[in-house]
Amino acid sequence: MKVAPISILLLLLCLLLTSCASKPRRHPGIKNAPYSIAGIRYVPYSVAEAQNLEEVGVASWYGPDGWFSGSGTTANGEQINARSISAAHKLLPLPCLIEVTNLRNGRRAKVRVNDRGPFIDNRMLDVSSRASEILGFKPDGLTDVRIRVLRVGD
C-alpha cells in the first residue's frame, strides 16, 4: 500500500498542532510547602482552602522605610521592596492577591502576598511600608484588619 505524500504532510501537521496545544496549568509557581521557623512548623493552606478565605487579625508593617528594601529576597524569591504594595502571611499560598481592609478607618487596598511572616505572636499580616500608607496606619504601626483572598497565583 502506497501512502500519498499529502497524507504524510497532513499527519505531521496534525501532530505538530496537537503538541503545541496549551495544556491546563495547575497553579504554576505556587509556594505551598510546609516550613519551620524557630522550631514551629507551619502548614500553608491548600489552594482550595485559600480561595475566598477571609480572616480578621492584627497587621503591622515592614519598617522603618527602606529597612528591608534591597536587603534580600522574599519567601517567593522576589527582591524585597518596601515601596511595593505587598505583604507577608504565615499560611497563604504564595503568591496571592488579597484585599486588606483597615477596620479602624475603613481604608482598603489590594495587596500581593509574596512573603512569609510575621513571626510575632498575635500578628496575622505584615504589609510593606507603602501598603501601610495606603491603609492609613503607618504612624500607629499596628491596626486591626480583615483580609479576603481575591486570587491565588499570578
Side-chain angles (χ1 to χ4, degrees), residues 76 86-89 92-98 111-115 125:
N76 205 34
S86 60
H89 189 281
L92 288 174
L94 302 179
C96 69
L97 184 67
I98 61 174
V111 178
R112 187 168 182 270
V113 179
N114 66 349
D115 205 2
L125 192 68

Side-chain angles (χ1 to χ4, degrees), residues 71-121:
S71 65
T73 57
T74 67
N76 205 34
E78 300 168 5
Q79 182 81 25
I80 294 173
N81 180 355
R83 302 309 298 163
S84 68
I85 303 171
S86 60
H89 189 281
K90 291 185 235 14
L91 300 176
L92 288 174
L94 302 179
C96 69
L97 184 67
I98 61 174
E99 178 184 66
V100 181
T101 302
N102 183 337
L103 297 176
R104 295 183 185 173
N105 64 18
R107 292 173 80 171
R108 294 178 183 188
K110 289 182 181 176
V111 178
R112 187 168 182 270
V113 179
N114 66 349
D115 205 2
R116 293 287 179 220
F119 299 106
I120 297 173
D121 287 343

Side-chain angles (χ1 to χ4, degrees), residues 28-145:
I30 301 281
K31 302 234 181 216
N32 217 25
Y35 64 100
S36 295
I37 299 286
I40 300 171
R41 182 173 164 81
Y42 297 92
V43 179
Y45 300 128
S46 70
V47 171
E49 290 172 318
Q51 298 290 344
N52 303 309
L53 178 80
E54 289 192 29
E55 293 181 333
V56 173
V58 176
S60 53
W61 61 274
Y62 297 176
D65 278 329
W67 181 56
F68 284 104
S69 288
S71 65
T73 57
T74 67
N76 205 34
E78 300 168 5
Q79 182 81 25
I80 294 173
N81 180 355
R83 302 309 298 163
S84 68
I85 303 171
S86 60
H89 189 281
K90 291 185 235 14
L91 300 176
L92 288 174
L94 302 179
C96 69
L97 184 67
I98 61 174
E99 178 184 66
V100 181
T101 302
N102 183 337
L103 297 176
R104 295 183 185 173
N105 64 18
R107 292 173 80 171
R108 294 178 183 188
K110 289 182 181 176
V111 178
R112 187 168 182 270
V113 179
N114 66 349
D115 205 2
R116 293 287 179 220
F119 299 106
I120 297 173
D121 287 343
N122 302 319
R123 293 200 194 159
M124 175 185 67
L125 192 68
D126 213 358
V127 301
S128 64
S129 174
R130 179 68 185 128
S132 73
E133 292 168 358
I134 293 167
L135 292 164
F137 76 94
K138 187 172 181 179
D140 301 323
L142 299 172
T143 196
D144 297 313
V145 297

